[in-house]
Amino acid sequence: MLTQAIKGVKDLLPEDSVRWRKVETAARDAFNAYGFLEIRTPIIEHTVLFARSIGATSDIVEKEMYAFTDRGGDEITLRPEGTAGVVRAYVEHKLYAKDPVTKLYYMGPMFRRERPQAGRLRQFHQIGAEALGSAGPGIDVDVLALLSDLFGRLGIEGVELQINSLGCRDCRPKYRAALKEFLMARYDQLCPDCQRRIEANPLRALDCKAEGCKAATADAPDMSEYLDDGCREHFAKVREGLDDLDIGYSVNKRMVRGLDYYTRTTFEMVATDKKGAQNAVAAGGRYDGLVEELGGPSTPGIGFAIGMERLILMLPESGEDINGPELFVAALGTDAGRVALKVVHGLRTKGIHAEWDYSGASLKSQMKKADRSAAKRVLIVGEDELARGVAILRDMRSKEQQEIPIKSVIATLVNRLKVIQAIARKH
Ligand code: HAM
């Protein structure tokens, strides 16, 4: 127990962090280009926030939340997703009064008590975006373009964008009624969960993985036939925008999503080759009633969240590794050790990664250590060199060596590394 993490949560070791940072940096660059600003909301929120927004009959709220009563008697939940908290903050801080359209992004851990497997964890991470304040289809296209651009930037292949429209509060009730009637006629074929949810949440039956439910709902009524004129036109415009931008997609009429706040456009980025990854790598949609539901002014919204763990599983191998130090100083003897410390400190304060050996081991073992650390260069300060006021700079790749005066080591190295960095940046 003491040395074992909780089931379904994961440590990210330094070698994992390299890839995570790469994704996070690409995401920040993309968000910047599309005008999304970062918001950081708390990991704990009042339980009622999630019940109200995600839906009391959703799997998340019914079965998966880490909800508890704290020592003061408050009902608290570890956030299972990011949208509810962002919308709560949007209303609480009246962000709608500052700008007609607010575009926000976030990154961070979410918590759901699901059965852990590859790409499904109990603490997982999302990168999410929410655009609030615009009802038109243009922002849907913008948000989908951002999502697909980000996947492109990361070189991710084997994903397909699937979209659907779930209608609005005017036309969805008619569809729900038709679906309910259809399901009632097949009640005995449905799993107990779907039987129980026919009243409150019949759409979930379309998404149920149980074989009986899949067979029973194969000819279920089609939402697209129930969309009212406004919803139909909105969906057509979204598709037109995606076509204009050459963003590939398919329409998945059975996509219902597991959260109750969605209206109109919904979408998922689905892994087509399922290489150990769960199906949806990212998902989202419109939630035009949510701000009002949480006590704010009637404000439309749309957003998505990417599952980081699932995304990382799909990231192409790029061989990036933890970078070794620019310089390793190998010094022999106490006086040389003091020089080593000064050189290392001088470089570090100029932002250059430098290491030295703390152990006072032999020069040979220090060189081995330098090699293992993947240092690009080693500065050797032996007793002889020290007596002559010089040090030997060895390039670990070419094995070339040169003597440089100890006095000017820091300035020489800083200048040289800056030139190298400038050249690297150009390429
Ligand atoms: P969601 O479909 O519940 O939507 O989750 C979005 C993504 O989070 C999923 O597609 C998946 O990649 C990842 N994810 C979910 N659960 C897990 C898990 N247990 N382990 C690993 N990854 C997981 C939302 O959360 C909405 N808030 C998205 C949204 C934003 N809609 C509008 N704005």
Side-chain angles (χ1 to χ4, degrees):
M1 284 282 260
L2 269 183
T3 53
Q4 209 160 41
I6 291 168
K7 195 172 164 194
V9 313
K10 247 181 159 172
D11 297 306
L12 287 179
L13 299 177
E15 59 265 32
D16 304 316
S17 298
V18 178
R19 309 190 97 204
W20 279 64
R21 244 196 338 262
K22 183 179 162 174
V23 172
E24 286 160 2
T25 305
R28 285 184 200 282
D29 289 349
F31 286 134
N32 187 38
Y34 289 76
F36 283 70
L37 301 175
E38 185 172 13
I39 184 164
R40 300 187 191 205
T41 63
I43 282 165
I44 50 174
E45 298 274 1
H46 293 298
T47 299
V48 63
L49 173 68
F50 301 115
R52 185 68 73 81
S53 51
I54 301 169
T57 57
S58 63
D59 275 352
I60 297 177
V61 174
E62 270 190 349
K63 306 181 195 164
E64 297 168 358
M65 290 205 310
Y66 282 95
F68 60 98
T69 312
D70 78 1
R71 284 164 198 263
D74 291 331
E75 299 297 331
I76 304 280
T77 291
L78 300 188
R79 63 181 186 192
E81 57 105 53
T83 311
V86 169
V87 172
R88 194 261 315 132
Y90 176 81
V91 175
E92 182 170 343
H93 302 288
K94 300 191 173 57
L95 298 185
Y96 46 83
K98 293 192 180 136
D99 241 322
V101 178
T102 308
K103 296 193 279 189
L104 303 167
Y105 80 87
Y106 51 90
M107 303 181 180
M110 311 289 160
F111 304 83
R112 295 183 196 176
R113 199 175 187 291
E114 294 196 78
R115 188 133 45 87
Q117 48 181 262
R120 196 201 285 158
L121 290 115
R122 291 181 173 175
Q123 175 177 327
F124 60 100
H125 297 75
Q126 286 184 343
I127 293 184
E130 313 292 350
L132 293 127
S134 176
I139 196 111
D140 303 35
V141 177
D142 247 14
V143 165
L144 286 165
L146 163 60
L147 180 63
S148 100
D149 184 4
L150 181 52
F151 274 67
R153 284 171 193 241
L154 291 167
I156 289 176
E157 287 172 358
V159 285
E160 181 187 57
L161 176 64
Q162 298 186 351
I163 62 172
N164 193 21
S165 175
L166 290 181
C168 63
R169 62 179 135 181
D170 296 330
C171 59
R172 181 132 36 117
K174 292 182 197 124
Y175 176 64
R176 268 173 65 131
L179 184 61
K180 218 153 87 182
E181 201 181 308
F182 174 89
L183 294 172
M184 284 309 276
R186 290 154 185 81
Y187 188 86
D188 293 340
Q189 297 168 49
L190 302 176
C191 74
D193 260 356
C194 288
Q195 287 178 341
R196 191 170 47 80
R197 285 197 300 219
I198 284 189
E199 252 334 292
N201 207 344
L203 269 70
R204 296 294 299 152
L206 298 181
D207 200 29
C208 183
K209 303 285 178 285
E211 289 305 324
C213 297
K214 276 193 203 164
T217 61
D219 309 316
D222 186 341
M223 177 72 219
S224 63
E225 285 163 21
Y226 288 78
L227 295 181
D228 61 21
D229 289 350
C231 290
R232 189 168 301 132
E233 194 180 322
H234 185 97
F235 195 44
K237 286 271 181 230
V238 173
R239 294 200 312 265
E240 183 184 277
L242 293 176
D243 292 338
D244 285 347
L245 297 183
D246 275 333
I247 295 171
Y249 63 89
S250 66
V251 175
N252 175 358
K253 290 181 184 171
R254 290 176 65 95
M255 183 201 300
V256 294
R257 310 279 304 118
L259 302 91
D260 285 359
Y261 48 60
Y262 290 115
T263 51
R264 292 195 163 176
T265 317
T266 52
F267 53 88
E268 290 184 350
M269 200 57 108
V270 178
T272 46
D273 56 3
K274 299 191 185 146
K275 263 197 314 215
Q278 292 283 318
N279 225 11
V281 190
R286 241 186 202 285
Y287 44 86
D288 291 345
L290 184 57
V291 177
E292 201 175 1
E293 178 70 31
L294 296 182
S298 168
T299 311
I302 179 167
F304 65 74
I306 303 171
M308 273 290 267
E309 284 79 0
R310 296 184 192 179
L311 187 76
I312 297 273
L313 284 175
M314 304 201 68
L315 213 56
E317 283 301 329
S318 58
E320 75 273 282
D321 222 335
I322 297 169
N323 283 330
E326 295 292 342
L327 184 77
F328 189 101
V329 184
L332 201 62
T334 322
D335 292 343
R338 291 175 66 190
V339 171
L341 187 55
K342 260 175 120 168
V343 169
V344 166
H345 182 70
L347 292 178
R348 286 174 174 172
T349 54
K350 291 276 186 295
I352 293 167
H353 178 192
E355 292 293 342
W356 66 299
D357 182 86
Y358 312 95
S359 69
S362 71
L363 211 50
K364 196 169 155 202
S365 96
Q366 289 190 46
M367 289 304 285
K368 265 198 199 148
K369 206 180 249 182
D371 209 30
R372 242 182 290 128
S373 75
K376 298 189 183 108
R377 302 161 199 82
V378 180
L379 188 75
I380 303 160
V381 195
E383 278 160 347
D384 286 356
E385 287 86 20
L386 195 61
R388 288 191 289 124
V390 295
I392 298 169
L393 183 65
R394 181 179 166 89
D395 186 303
M396 294 297 272
R397 204 174 308 152
S398 67
K399 309 289 179 220
E400 267 170 37
Q401 297 199 160
Q402 81 178 110
E403 275 189 2
I404 39 179
I406 284 175
K407 261 199 233 145
S408 56
V409 157
I410 295 177
T412 308
L413 281 170
V414 168
N415 282 337
R416 202 176 287 181
L417 289 171
K418 283 216 168 117
V419 172
I420 292 172
Q421 277 166 1
I423 293 171
R425 262 200 299 276
K426 267 196 189 155
H427 292 279

